[in-house]
Amino acid sequence: MTVTDTTTNKPSSGVRRLTTARAMVEAIAQEMERDPSVFVMGEDVGAYGGIFGSTTGLLERFGSERVMDTPISETGFIGAGIGAAIEGMRPIVELMFVDFFGVCMDQIYNHMAKIHYESGGHVKVPMVLMAAVGGGYSDGAQHSQCLWGTFAHLPGMKVVVPSNPADAKGLMIAAIRDDNPVIYLFHKGVMGLPWMAKNSRAIGPVPEEPYELPIGKAAVVREGRDATVVTLSLSVHHTLDVADELAAQGIDVEVIDLRSLVPLDGETVLASVAKTGRLVVVDEDYRSFGLSGELAALIAEHDPGMLRAPLVRVAVPDVPIPYARPLERFVLPTPERIKSGIVSVVGR
Amino acid sequence: MGEDIKVQLYTTMVRIRTYEEAILREYHRDKSPVFDIGAGRIPGEMHLSAGQEPVAAGLCAHLRPDDAITAPHRPHHLALAHGVDMKRMTAEIFGRESGLGRGKGGHMHLFDPAVHFGCSGIIAQGAPTAVGAALAFKRQGSDRVAVSVVGEGAANQGGFHESLNLASLWRLPVVFVIEDNGWGISVPRSASTSVPSNIDRAAGYAMPGELVEDNSVDGVYEAAGRAVTRARKGEGPTLLEIRTIRLWGHFEGDAQAYRGEELAQAQASDPLPIYEQRLLKDGLLDEAAVAAIKEQAVNEVEDAIAFALSSAEPAPEEALEDVFA
Ligand SMILES: Cc1ncc(C[n+]2csc(CCOP(=O)(O)OP(=O)(O)O)c2C)c(N)n1
């Protein structure tokens, strides 16, 4: 079944609560049951169960032929995923941290993302490349980036970024069934990991049966009149917390969880901004040449007169993510920065 | 091998172990009863090197401060053995303004230009930069040497192989050292590596390869001596593999369920007490000397931690500095 209600995060059925990590695993397991061509590979996806719990229990259930630990050879095994996908398999390949794309980007953007086009549509590459993103726990400049804007910039791959358990499951199933390559980026802070500070929405109700959430549909996760905040991933939760706080001060914020960057649901964004006239983009990726600039262009191309106040961007200033806690907090879109962004766009 | 050098190697290993034990203690402070990776005085991932001291001690004994090393994500033993300033390194690990990188780098990103030390959290990616350092040394007409240290897991990364080829092709003064601790996180060597030993790969790049099978610091010292001498004399690169052990988790917080019996075996072959017993038996040390070496190490390490703790945290706006020269 497909969850069509995109205006709320409530799944259409089921009260059972899972962490985002468990929801992803359930999605993968259900697809592996249904379709023998689905298999998983990556570093530490077997006995370890994925460093971020994205494959926990799959080895025990499906065996090492379908849940394959790989050497630390990302160009090799991501390329192998592409080849297998072309020849009829549906691989789910994990790149442990998105930051590591540097050692294997050629396979991703010159091969995975281009072969369908170069072949005039004759060759399909139905694979999922999943990776952990995000900072906030002092992991330094090479283990804390989001980088979704980089993938979204390069044509030929869908880019999915779930923020909660129910979406994570539906988007994973949709990604596996999609005939295109899908980059599936999960923030460590939404996984509900036992060893990392959790936000309260990292665990939530998830329907038990398999369902697809259409890729390319944003969710209005909070309705409001005064300003639109467009965001994704962990920042959705920070923004919702801030919105609750601001409601007490009489500021009524609408929050949009994009859920995917490619395709980008521009319609939902435009409809909201048409209503509020004010836009804050909260993006844990680097500020320049990314999502926030793209949304500014979306508005400028559609109707520059829509905005009643200058657009505000709350993003990572164009510096690498620093290690020390006060430095990292300064560059990340923390609730404090989101709040002052909203207050400034509303002008009170 | 002289008697003095053995005592020196032992002292280096004690210094490293003392350091790692102290970082272990400080790292876990304020992370219990609930382990939260982002909490405490030292947040973030922490990869400690206990068990791998022989590699650092035996190798770095041949290096001069003007020789370069690129270390991997598990860098402390190599940093200390190569003479990185312990105080400023500790301050970096604690995220302080007085740290090597003013708190911007953290434990996987320690850079000390005074001794040409650097490291990276991206697997194997220190190898190409070691090649570049060696290229510079050769161009500059010096006899300086560059060393790349990676784990056995890293030896399956493309950049590592490209580096071997470049170094051999250009006959550069590089020593490639593989610390084979048997594991790449949870993946054993048998599941990652197609050859019995990585030195089998040296032939593919027309360079000598040497395996040290027993994690003995003497063995590392001798093999590294041959490789460094070769490099200094302009005879080109060497590949060394050391069979070592990872005494603790891949990173702190790793429950290591995947390790099974091998863990107890590893713990029973801790190189430090083994070497200590050897030196005591051979009469190179007595109990009093051992106690003095340990006490000195504890004092130095606790001083470094006190230095870090007394240093200020960086001001938040500092985050915007240092992007460009
Ligand atoms: C390119 C890249 N891929 C994956 C990782 C994640 N990772 C960090 S350490 C590690 C295992 C490294 O094993 P090894 O090289 O044997 O060194 P050890 O940790 O055993 O010292 C992995 C897979 C990474 N940091 N960089």
Side-chain angles (χ1 to χ4, degrees):
Chain A
M1 88 184 227
T2 297
V3 173
T4 47
D5 177 7
T6 55
T7 56
T8 78
N9 273 322
K10 289 214 187 68
S12 57
S13 69
V15 290
R16 187 191 49 144
R17 292 163 62 79
L18 296 179
T19 62
T20 300
R22 295 302 314 173
M24 283 172 65
V25 171
E26 182 169 279
I28 294 170
Q30 287 175 342
E31 287 302 283
M32 289 180 78
E33 293 285 2
R34 186 187 63 79
D35 180 352
S37 68
V38 177
F39 73 102
V40 179
M41 67 177 159
E43 290 154 19
D44 305 282
V45 299
Y48 200 105
I51 296 299
F52 303 104
S54 55
T55 59
T56 303
L58 293 177
L59 174 71
E60 292 73 9
R61 223 165 126 187
F62 297 100
S64 57
E65 299 255 297
R66 292 185 74 193
V67 183
M68 298 170 64
D69 271 336
T70 60
I72 311 169
S73 308
E74 288 86 355
T75 288
F77 70 76
I78 291 173
I82 298 168
I86 289 171
E87 295 302 337
M89 304 296 284
R90 288 194 174 259
I92 301 165
V93 183
E94 180 163 281
L95 174 64
M96 189 185 292
F97 288 70
V98 78
D99 313 65
F100 307 159
F101 87 77
V103 300
C104 53
M105 194 59 168
D106 188 71
Q107 288 298 326
I108 297 170
Y109 89 111
N110 266 332
H111 295 85
M112 186 183 84
K114 287 183 183 160
I115 285 176
H116 183 263
Y117 185 80
E118 291 167 329
S119 72
H122 293 305
V123 179
K124 291 192 174 78
V125 187
M127 72 182 263
V128 180
L129 181 63
M130 62 177 175
V133 301
Y137 62 102
S138 294
D139 216 358
Q142 297 175 339
H143 289 75
S144 302
Q145 301 166 96
C146 286
L147 299 174
W148 40 58
T150 302
F151 293 94
H153 178 66
L154 297 162
M157 46 196 156
K158 297 188 178 179
V159 180
V160 163
V161 190
S163 69
N164 63 63
D167 286 2
K169 179 172 175 182
L171 287 168
M172 177 57 82
I173 291 182
I176 295 168
R177 294 181 187 174
D178 203 298
D179 277 344
N180 297 287
V182 179
I183 306 270
Y184 184 106
L185 300 173
F186 55 87
H187 199 295
K188 298 149 211 167
V190 308
M191 293 295 271
L193 298 168
W195 46 272
M196 191 177 283
K198 280 175 272 301
N199 76 78
S200 55
R201 300 177 197 86
I203 179 158
V206 178
E208 287 188 36
E209 68 278 12
Y211 59 94
E212 278 183 68
L213 200 64
I215 298 174
K217 284 253 165 256
V220 179
V221 289
R222 187 184 203 284
E223 290 189 23
R225 280 168 288 121
D226 297 332
T228 300
V229 179
V230 177
T231 186
L232 73 173
S233 196
L234 180 64
S235 298
V236 171
H237 307 295
H238 293 329
T239 305
L240 287 172
D241 293 342
V242 168
D244 284 346
E245 224 181 285
L246 288 175
Q249 299 172 27
I251 299 178
D252 189 18
V253 180
E254 180 142 306
V255 182
I256 296 179
D257 177 355
L258 284 174
R259 301 199 288 200
S260 70
L261 293 187
V262 180
L264 180 69
D265 186 354
E267 258 173 51
T268 298
V269 174
L270 289 171
S272 175
V273 176
K275 178 172 74 175
T276 64
R278 294 183 161 87
L279 176 60
V280 178
V281 183
V282 180
D283 183 11
E284 200 185 312
D285 201 352
Y286 300 119
R287 174 185 166 98
S288 298
F289 307 98
L291 173 66
S292 55
E294 186 60 34
L295 292 176
L298 176 80
I299 301 217
E301 285 174 346
H302 179 77
D303 174 6
M306 281 173 92
L307 292 181
R308 280 186 271 149
L311 174 147
V312 170
R313 310 200 241 177
V314 181
V316 176
D318 299 320
V319 304
I321 314 280
Y323 162 69
R325 201 176 280 126
L327 302 179
E328 189 188 25
R329 289 192 61 78
F330 186 76
V331 306
L332 291 180
T334 51
E336 300 73 50
R337 285 183 65 207
I338 296 169
K339 188 170 167 188
S340 67
I342 296 171
V343 168
S344 80
V345 85
V346 173
R348 46 186 149 109
Chain B
M1 238 183 119
E3 300 190 346
D4 287 357
I5 189 71
K6 291 191 181 183
V7 174
Q8 182 199 316
L9 295 176
Y10 171 74
T11 305
T12 304
M13 295 206 294
V14 169
R15 191 169 169 260
I16 295 168
R17 178 66 59 86
T18 306
Y19 190 79
E20 296 296 57
E21 283 172 347
I23 296 293
L24 182 74
R25 177 193 77 211
E26 293 299 315
Y27 180 78
H28 286 284
R29 200 189 282 279
D30 305 321
K31 287 194 185 68
S32 63
V34 181
F35 181 88
D36 171 0
I37 189 171
R41 289 173 166 181
I42 306 178
E45 281 180 69
M46 179 53 65
H47 313 82
L48 297 173
S49 65
Q52 303 183 192
E53 296 88 352
V55 182
L59 169 69
C60 296
H62 298 285
L63 300 181
R64 307 187 310 230
D66 66 343
D67 291 327
I69 293 201
T70 60
H73 57 289
R74 194 182 304 286
H76 299 172
H77 54 324
L78 297 158
L80 293 173
H82 191 48
V84 170
D85 183 311
M86 188 192 280
K87 286 194 165 134
R88 295 188 58 216
M89 162 177 166
T90 308
E92 185 61 28
I93 293 168
F94 280 74
R96 303 300 167 122
E97 178 65 33
S98 59
L100 289 169
R102 306 174 207 228
K104 292 200 168 82
H107 116 98
M108 284 187 273
H109 310 292
L110 304 168
F111 295 90
D112 189 353
V115 292
H116 306 271
F117 182 90
C119 53
S120 171
I122 306 297
I123 293 305
Q125 302 310 313
T129 52
V131 170
L135 178 65
F137 297 161
K138 188 173 175 178
R139 283 288 147 78
Q140 291 157 0
S142 81
D143 67 346
R144 295 163 68 191
V145 166
V147 180
S148 152
V149 183
V150 301
E152 89 293 339
N156 300 304
Q157 184 67 235
F160 178 74
H161 289 268
E162 295 181 20
S163 300
L164 292 182
N165 185 55
L166 284 178
S168 180
L169 182 70
W170 295 339
R171 220 177 151 81
L172 296 177
V174 190
V175 179
F176 294 99
V177 179
I178 298 174
E179 296 185 277
D180 174 9
N181 63 16
W183 296 95
I185 311 186
S186 70
V187 178
R189 185 183 62 237
S190 60
S192 70
T193 309
S194 58
V195 284
S197 161
N198 277 299
I199 62 154
D200 298 346
R201 292 168 158 170
Y205 300 101
M207 68 174 77
E210 196 170 338
L211 177 65
V212 177
E213 278 186 85
D214 58 1
N215 201 26
S216 79
V217 69
D218 292 0
V220 177
Y221 179 80
E222 297 198 334
R226 287 184 281 275
V228 171
T229 304
R230 237 188 124 241
R232 260 200 228 298
K233 289 203 308 209
E235 292 169 10
T238 303
L239 178 61
L240 299 179
E241 180 159 73
I242 322 296
R243 293 263 151 89
T244 184
I245 53 170
R246 200 185 81 200
L247 271 181
W248 300 341
H250 168 73
F251 37 35
E252 285 313 307
D254 175 4
Q256 303 197 80
Y258 53 85
R259 256 179 113 165
E261 285 181 6
E262 182 272 341
L263 183 56
Q265 281 166 23
Q267 281 161 349
S269 45
D270 183 342
L272 212 61
I274 293 174
Y275 200 57
E276 186 177 296
Q277 284 309 312
R278 265 268 317 283
L279 298 197
L280 285 169
K281 200 165 134 266
D282 294 350
L284 302 188
L285 287 175
D286 58 19
E287 297 290 353
V290 166
I293 288 169
K294 288 183 177 169
E295 190 189 327
Q296 198 190 356
V298 168
N299 290 340
E300 188 193 5
V301 168
E302 296 306 328
D303 276 358
I305 290 174
F307 171 79
L309 289 174
S310 68
S311 301
E313 294 197 318
E317 320 74 68
E318 280 282 314
L320 304 180
E321 305 298 325
D322 299 323
V323 179
F324 295 108

